[in-house]
Amino acid sequence: MIKVLSVASECVPLVKTGGLADVVGALPRALSEQGIDMRVMLPAYPDLVKKIGKVTEIAAEKDLYGGSARVMKGAVDGVTVLLLDAPHLFDRKGGIYGNPSDYPDNPERFAAFSFAAAQIGMHGGRDGWVPDVLHAHDWQAALAPAFVRWAENTRLKTVLTVHNIAFQGIAPSSRMGAMRLPGWAYNTNGYEYWGNINVLKAGLLAADKLSTVSPSYASELMRGEFGMGLDGVMRARAADMLGILNGVDTDVWNPADDAAIIAYSAKSVAAKAKNRAALIAEFELDDVPGPLAIVVSRLTGQKGIDLIADVAPEFVTDGGGLVILGTGEPYFEERILGLTQSLPGRVAVRIGYDEGMSHRLFAGGDAVLVPSRFEPCGLTQMYGLRYGTIPVVAATGGLNDTVIDANPAAVLADSATGFTFHPTDALALRQALRRMCALYADQKAWRAMQQRAMKSDVSWSASSKAYASLYAGLIG
Ligand code: ADP
């Protein structure tokens, strides 16, 4: 059995700020079906040890970056978790990264975490479990493969997955000593980046294999528009880079068994109309003759929220309605709240984070809009597919890899599952919405597309096999 130590700063159900946590939490269970024994290593944020309950100490260190530290082993929902208990670094009240602004010593905190993970990876703990592969996620864990590379005589193999290249862990070079980075590796082929330290770069150059969360994002990362300064590094490592799509939790997102909605399935989508009526009532909309579109999203520039505001008036004129659930930057909140004034009865907005409500939106909406400017993988378009809520998405990253556009060829071949558009601008989004309204007018064709969408495989099944063969290839 291949043993893998997954190293990350977040993991569902223990600690989450974004999609990274969903993936790190889902992988061990998906991979155990492939015969992979995966443990997850996390920092012991406040209350995490308590949340887990019974833990045992498997390693201790008197001085880990200026304080004593222990590694505690426990389990959550059948998954073995290793917690780095280092109070001087992780016992803080202001969120896991600091809120509203980052903790100034985040580079040292996560360097220490990565250092400890590399030690456990190479030598194991007192329980005798030594992994074959260390799998690090994002910049917070990216120094772990680097510390492994810098150590000599280790058989441990490493993988680094990029979930979002926007975050790289950049620090002034004066922090080298405090981060315990070897001076000799401060160069272009190491962790140096325009006179600073770049933690993600160090990991990208050090790991045996790299991956990201969709095939399209894997190739986009090698281009200047998406690589955020690391496109050259990505190109240099192209031969070792894989794009593996995320899956969704098909137990949580299951329209045939979802307590928040009137249940339905691909065979009987009729109940979707009842969910639609309930949604219109809940949000006090008028009758919506055309498609009812939904948005569940962080409200930021990345997500193209401004484009939705731009096209809403024409979409409403064409018969459409719009329900938006999200939180984010004040500018975007104000813009979409403005639509409820200018288009009353047809546009409703809820500012907030509400999982139960998001299920009702997917159940009652006809379509889900995801006009992202970049999207490593994206989850909401996959929820849309599963709930027969037709995705209308920008043709970028994982959106491009999960939705089959209703172009004439795909329509003829009965393979379309949604609408994609390019480039990510208001004009292209408006065209996609026009095409959607036209198809909606033909309810028979619309039903057929809904049923096809609901049969799309958005589970972890194919991707867990891809990870398993990545590990197997590494250890020969
Ligand atoms: P990102 O990680 O960039 O925010 P993803 O699509 O990968 O985008 O994941 C976002 C996740 O957060 C999805 O599960 C989505 O349903 C959820 N989500 C985002 N905003 C809200 C909200 N306001 N209420 C409920 N769920 C939300």
Side-chain angles (χ1 to χ4, degrees), residues 211-332:
S211 79
T212 186
V213 290
S214 69
S216 286
Y217 195 57
S219 49
E220 287 171 354
L221 284 177
M222 295 174 202
R223 300 213 302 262
E225 313 95 274
F226 294 99
M228 304 213 175
L230 291 179
D231 44 296
V233 175
M234 289 294 176
R235 285 195 295 278
R237 298 281 338 252
D240 295 309
M241 174 72 162
L242 265 183
I244 303 177
L245 271 175
N246 289 336
V248 308
D249 187 328
T250 48
D251 292 331
V252 174
W253 292 96
N254 180 4
D257 179 22
D258 183 333
I261 66 165
I262 302 160
Y264 60 97
S265 68
K267 283 202 193 92
S268 68
V269 276
K272 199 160 167 50
K274 292 187 190 144
N275 288 293
R276 185 185 193 272
L279 192 61
I280 285 180
E282 176 177 354
F283 284 87
E284 297 176 343
L285 292 176
D286 300 339
D287 190 31
V288 179
L292 178 62
I294 64 154
V295 177
V296 178
S297 182
R298 289 186 290 119
L299 304 176
T300 65
Q302 177 197 337
K303 301 291 183 181
I305 302 302
D306 46 324
L307 306 179
I308 294 173
D310 288 344
V311 302
E314 185 178 318
F315 179 52
V316 165
T317 306
D318 287 346
L322 192 55
V323 180
I324 303 176
L325 167 64
T327 59
E329 294 166 19
Y331 168 77
F332 296 105

Side-chain angles (χ1 to χ4, degrees), residues 24-211:
V24 174
L27 275 179
R29 254 163 288 140
L31 281 165
S32 78
E33 287 164 26
Q34 303 300 324
I36 305 283
D37 174 15
M38 178 179 267
R39 296 182 172 185
V40 181
M41 184 155 173
L42 286 168
Y45 305 113
D47 295 333
L48 233 54
V49 172
K50 232 191 283 162
K51 244 190 201 167
I52 289 193
K54 196 169 163 292
V55 292
T56 51
E57 183 185 303
I58 60 159
E61 173 64 51
K62 277 207 194 72
D63 177 18
L64 178 76
Y65 288 61
S68 65
R70 306 179 300 165
V71 178
M72 313 299 285
K73 179 169 91 170
V76 184
D77 300 343
V79 174
T80 302
V81 177
L82 308 182
L83 296 176
L84 177 66
D85 184 20
H88 61 297
L89 300 169
F90 297 112
D91 190 8
R92 298 191 187 171
K93 297 253 172 323
I96 64 176
Y97 307 125
N99 195 1
S101 52
D102 288 355
Y103 298 121
D105 62 342
N106 275 351
E108 287 82 3
R109 295 171 77 219
F110 290 103
F113 172 60
S114 299
F115 181 82
Q119 298 309 310
I120 292 289
M122 290 187 287
H123 312 297
R126 258 177 249 138
D127 62 347
W129 189 88
V130 185
D132 305 294
V133 178
L134 182 154
H135 185 166
H137 301 269
D138 273 353
W139 83 266
Q140 294 89 347
L143 282 175
F147 284 122
V148 172
R149 169 79 52 186
W150 296 329
E152 277 155 24
N153 300 326
T154 174
R155 43 175 280 286
L156 182 67
K157 300 294 183 192
T158 59
V159 176
L160 174 60
T161 296
V162 178
H163 297 259
N164 192 338
I165 199 138
F167 306 101
Q168 302 181 359
I170 294 179
S173 58
S174 57
R175 309 271 281 274
M176 199 187 293
M179 290 168 73
R180 316 252 165 120
L181 301 177
W184 58 262
Y186 182 71
N187 57 50
T188 329
N189 298 320
Y191 58 84
E192 187 272 346
Y193 180 79
W194 301 105
N196 288 312
I197 294 164
N198 185 320
V199 166
L200 187 64
K201 178 186 170 184
L204 291 173
L205 288 171
D208 293 305
K209 291 282 178 191
L210 306 177
S211 79

